[in-house]
Amino acid sequence: YEIFAMNADGSNLRNLSNHPAADLQPSFSPDNSQIVFESNRTNNNHDIYLMNADGTNVRQLTDSPGRDNQASFSPDGSKIAFTSNRDGNDEIYVMNADGSNLIKLTNNGSDDRSPRFSPDGSQIAFLSFREGGAQIYLMNADGSSQTRLTDIPGGVEIPSFSPDGAKIIFATFADANREIFQMNTDGSNLIRLTNNPASDGDPSYSPDGSKIVFES
């Protein structure tokens, strides 16, 4: 696996990581100057790395005996939230963007994964398996007030905030295949957006919140 970038029209495709190890799950910083990603280039452990948007100045941010992955920036670019199983099972951690001041936000016997900051940086949505199948939870950015938002049979997939922070969009297995749903950030007003015999997933809002892109 390598990390690539291209123009929005698909042109100018280029390999940014170009390394014999696996480089995965890239995410841009809010100012688009840096990319955080997962790699096993050190002792085959999966850690969090940071590089400039052109692939230069790669530096390792974590050094874990387990797997650190699913990293994403806070809206102001000062912090990075990520998933790690360094303590035995998947939990959510946050650190400064330079790798300092590591803090464990969740501490649960079941897996907690896929953290996503709200647009104002005050909250983090994540997936938790503490009630069986994966459900969406919301907590304050310091890990307090962890609240379950969904109770959907079959479980749900990675949540994504709308740009105004009022909505959360996600995919779930409805009618035995993946469909896309939207809800308010308090879990109310659940709306099904797709209804297709094919699999619809991985939704994301446009920057102005007027459109949704997804795979099918």
Side-chain angles (χ1 to χ4, degrees):
Y1 289 99
E2 298 286 3
I3 295 170
F4 284 74
M6 62 184 176
N7 295 341
D9 62 2
S11 63
N12 192 25
L13 182 68
R14 54 216 184 267
N15 186 341
L16 299 182
S17 53
N18 195 23
H19 193 278
D23 298 321
L24 309 163
Q25 299 180 339
S27 181
F28 275 100
S29 62
D31 64 1
N32 294 322
S33 67
Q34 300 185 97
I35 296 173
V36 65
F37 64 100
E38 167 196 354
S39 181
N40 65 342
R41 55 180 70 191
T42 303
N43 299 322
N44 209 36
N45 291 332
H46 286 253
D47 290 302
I48 304 299
Y49 287 74
L50 192 66
M51 64 181 172
N52 295 342
D54 62 0
T56 61
N57 192 25
V58 178
R59 54 265 196 213
Q60 184 177 352
L61 298 185
T62 67
D63 186 6
S64 170
R67 181 175 184 178
D68 295 346
N69 62 355
Q70 299 177 330
S72 60
F73 278 94
S74 61
D76 64 2
S78 67
K79 297 188 181 299
I80 295 172
F82 64 98
T83 302
S84 178
N85 64 356
R86 61 182 62 201
D87 291 331
N89 66 290
D90 284 344
E91 300 287 359
I92 294 171
Y93 293 74
V94 69
M95 61 185 172
N96 293 339
D98 63 1
S100 64
N101 194 28
L102 180 67
I103 299 172
K104 186 176 183 179
L105 297 183
T106 64
N107 190 5
N108 192 278
S110 299
D111 289 338
D112 296 326
R113 301 174 182 166
S114 309
R116 294 292 184 273
F117 278 98
S118 61
D120 66 0
S122 67
Q123 295 179 300
I124 295 175
F126 63 100
L127 294 183
S128 180
F129 291 75
R130 60 188 71 180
E131 303 294 338
Q135 300 294 335
I136 296 173
Y137 280 68
L138 190 67
M139 63 181 170
N140 294 333
D142 63 1
S144 63
S145 299
Q146 297 179 19
T147 304
R148 181 176 176 175
L149 299 184
T150 62
D151 185 8
I152 298 177
V156 303
E157 296 185 350
I158 299 174
S160 179
F161 281 96
S162 61
D164 64 2
K167 307 282 186 185
I168 293 175
I169 196 171
F170 58 96
T172 184
F173 287 87
D175 300 334
N177 67 296
R178 293 162 80 210
E179 301 288 358
I180 294 171
F181 284 74
Q182 179 180 261
M183 65 182 177
N184 296 339
T185 50
D186 63 0
S188 64
N189 195 27
L190 182 66
I191 299 172
R192 181 171 175 167
L193 299 184
T194 63
N195 190 353
N196 194 284
S199 173
D200 299 327
D202 294 329
S204 180
Y205 289 95
S206 62
D208 66 0
S210 66
K211 293 183 175 10
I212 293 165
V213 63
F214 65 101
E215 69 169 25
S216 182

